């Protein structure tokens, strides 16, 4: 892992290596493979942030499954407040399906709560949350997060699909902001 990196006007230090990320994703995939044996779950990956996690997770899923990608339309400047207008991109019939939401990070949980409410109107058999990163101390709502690969402190991070001002998603490791 390299040392301090700069993205735009901020500095970041190495935090979680790609090797550790892959190990944690394998552990989550093993649990999903066991828990959904005999079912054909539909994974709903939330863009943009979850694309790398979703790709690596899917390569480790050994049971029959499907994947689709959704985008949350939020009000400008309030993405972290959980104010979403709609879930865009669901063309599949969710009625009677086991749905697994694949998210890059859950912090307040407000956005996830709204997404689950939105999906509930489509009558799925069950809705499960699978997140790469979870900030437990920032959670504001009661969510059943069954599949969290890594719990992290309440710090700003970048890399492995997560961005700072649209940059840094391409980094294979995760970096934590360095407070100046």
């Amino acid at each position: 892992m390299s040392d301090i990196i700069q993205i735009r006007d901020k500095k970041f230090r190495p935090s979680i290596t790609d090797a550790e990320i892959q190990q944690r994703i394998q552990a989550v995939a093993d649990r999903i493979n066991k828990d959904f044996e005999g079912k054909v779950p539909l994974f709903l990956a939330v863009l943009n942030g979850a694309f790398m996690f979703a790709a690596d997770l899917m390569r480790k899923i050994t049971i029959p499954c499907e994947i689709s990608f959704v985008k949350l339309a939020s009000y400008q400047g309030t993405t972290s407040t959980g104010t979403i207008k709609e879930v865009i991109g669901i063309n599949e019939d969710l009625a009677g399906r086991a749905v697994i939401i694949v998210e890059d990070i859950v912090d307040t949980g407000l956005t996830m709560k709204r997404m689950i409410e939105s999906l509930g109107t489509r009558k799925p058999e069950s809705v499960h949350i699978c997140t790469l990163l979870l900030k437990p101390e920032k959670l504001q709502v009661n969510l059943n997060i069954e599949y969290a690969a890594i719990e992290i402190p309440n710090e700003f991070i970048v890399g492995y699909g997560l961005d700072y001002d649209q940059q840094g998603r391409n980094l294979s490791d995760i970096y934590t902001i360095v407070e100046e």
Side-chain angles (χ1 to χ4, degrees), residues 24-34 56-57 59-62 147:
R24 299 291 188 93
I25 293 172
Q26 184 64 62
V28 165
D30 290 345
R31 288 182 45 222
I32 291 171
N33 287 328
K34 185 173 167 281
D56 286 343
L57 178 66
R59 285 193 283 265
K60 295 169 174 48
I61 296 295
T62 56
Y147 308 101

Side-chain angles (χ1 to χ4, degrees), residues 20-135:
E20 183 180 348
I21 294 167
Q22 296 308 320
Q23 186 180 11
R24 299 291 188 93
I25 293 172
Q26 184 64 62
V28 165
D30 290 345
R31 288 182 45 222
I32 291 171
N33 287 328
K34 185 173 167 281
D35 293 352
F36 290 88
E37 196 174 338
K39 295 187 177 188
V40 181
L42 171 64
F43 289 86
L44 284 183
V46 183
L47 295 175
N48 288 339
F51 76 100
M52 285 176 82
F53 175 43
D56 286 343
L57 178 66
M58 292 307 289
R59 285 193 283 265
K60 295 169 174 48
I61 296 295
T62 56
I63 57 171
C65 63
E66 295 173 22
I67 186 166
S68 190
F69 294 87
V70 296
K71 200 162 172 102
L72 306 179
S74 31
Y75 295 101
Q76 194 86 38
T78 61
T79 47
S80 63
T81 67
T83 305
I84 61 171
K85 286 188 279 193
E86 61 181 323
V87 180
I88 305 167
I90 301 177
N91 303 318
E92 292 76 12
D93 180 6
L94 302 185
R97 302 281 314 263
V99 175
I100 302 172
I101 301 168
V102 180
E103 183 63 287
D104 56 351
I105 187 166
V106 174
D107 45 33
T108 63
L110 294 169
T111 301
M112 184 59 66
K113 182 176 184 281
R114 303 277 188 311
M115 185 169 173
I116 289 169
E117 289 165 357
S118 172
L119 293 177
T121 64
R122 297 165 182 261
K123 303 189 178 12
E125 173 195 289
S126 58
V127 177
H128 308 268
I129 303 169
C130 178
T131 185
L132 174 66
L133 301 163
L134 174 62
K135 291 183 178 180

